[in-house]
Amino acid sequence: RKTKDQVLNLKEPQVVDRVISLSPEHHRLYQKLVRERMLEVGDGLITALTQQKLRESCLQIVTTPERFTDSKIRNAVFEEVEELIDEIGPAHEKIVLFATHQETVRSLAAHFADLNPVTVYGGNGGGKKNRANIEIFKTDPDCRLAVMHPESGGVGLNLQDVCRYMIFVEPFSVPGQFKQAADRIHRGEIKHVVTFYIIK
């Protein structure tokens, strides 16, 4: 015989790394950016001449490659998120996606439009819109996803009563920011196992 605590520890969340590989054409595009530090897109030019700009561009090209080329590129990151959502299963399960770039927040919301996502980020035009979107996420059964930026959605929200799954789509630069974001659903009196997926 075992006690419930020995079988299922609700205090400790499950943390699952999901390692993906970029498609060959995506990887070539990434390597070209690293090597040449610039890419032509349409009539424009994306430059990454400083170390900081190169780092930011490398992070963004992984999750939103379509911004860096005119060619069609398979997005393995978004495919992995789709697969995770399918694995999580029932339509009543709500999921929080965290992305560290505003463009990624917008791209994820557009890509998963069929799940009626809300966005919580600085590009929403203010805190009032973000608060309204959180209320929709909490109360609307048709709204399955909240796509958030850590600076707007990583603090001050209590989502543990409506959500037990969180997917970190892009890496956080600061460990404390990651912990703050995770605490949105892993806090207080925990009634079910909380799962964090980290896309690597």
Side-chain angles (χ1 to χ4, degrees):
R1 291 184 175 225
K2 292 186 176 191
T3 65
K4 184 178 173 185
D5 251 10
Q6 291 171 312
V7 177
L8 182 63
N9 184 354
L10 296 180
K11 292 186 176 86
E12 291 299 319
Q14 288 187 337
V15 180
V16 181
D17 291 338
R18 295 293 285 248
V19 180
I20 63 160
S21 297
L22 302 181
S23 66
E25 63 275 12
H26 192 167
H27 191 259
R28 279 193 295 276
L29 182 68
Y30 180 93
Q31 291 295 349
K32 184 175 182 187
L33 175 66
V34 171
R35 194 174 51 254
E36 299 176 14
R37 296 198 175 205
M38 60 180 65
L39 294 171
E40 288 182 56
V41 183
D43 295 333
L45 188 67
I46 294 174
T47 60
L49 302 176
T50 67
Q51 285 292 81
Q52 179 63 24
K53 181 67 175 166
L54 180 62
R55 179 183 180 279
E56 286 302 309
S57 296
C58 284
L59 288 169
Q60 291 178 51
I61 200 171
V62 169
T63 46
T64 53
E66 63 278 359
R67 293 181 49 225
F68 294 82
T69 182
D70 296 320
S71 304
K72 181 88 171 138
I73 296 271
R74 192 179 129 243
N75 191 328
V77 173
F78 282 26
E79 287 176 2
E80 185 66 24
V81 173
E82 278 177 33
E83 194 173 304
L84 282 170
I85 291 170
D86 287 345
E87 282 178 22
I88 288 167
H92 67 271
E93 290 288 0
K94 292 181 179 274
I95 305 163
V96 173
L97 306 181
F98 266 106
T100 55
H101 297 98
Q102 290 192 10
E103 186 58 45
T104 309
V105 170
R106 288 189 287 271
S107 294
L108 284 163
H111 186 82
F112 294 103
D114 60 318
L115 299 176
N116 301 311
V118 294
T119 55
V120 179
Y121 74 118
N124 268 349
K128 195 176 204 178
K129 175 71 172 167
N130 284 337
R131 284 190 296 278
N133 282 352
I134 286 298
E135 201 52 40
I136 291 168
F137 180 67
K138 285 180 169 182
T139 59
D140 185 347
D142 293 328
C143 173
R144 186 150 184 223
L145 288 183
V147 187
M148 301 189 198
H149 187 279
E151 289 178 14
S152 301
V155 293
L157 301 176
N158 295 317
L159 303 175
Q160 70 274 12
D161 292 334
V162 295
C163 178
R164 59 184 175 144
Y165 296 100
M166 188 175 281
I167 303 172
F168 292 92
V169 181
E170 292 179 313
F172 284 25
S173 299
V174 182
Q177 203 174 49
F178 177 88
K179 173 80 168 80
Q180 284 276 14
D183 283 348
R184 298 314 94 215
I185 66 170
H186 190 259
R187 62 191 295 121
E189 189 65 34
I190 299 165
K191 301 177 182 75
H192 41 67
V193 176
V194 172
T195 306
F196 300 112
Y197 295 98
I198 301 171
I199 307 290
K200 291 189 174 181

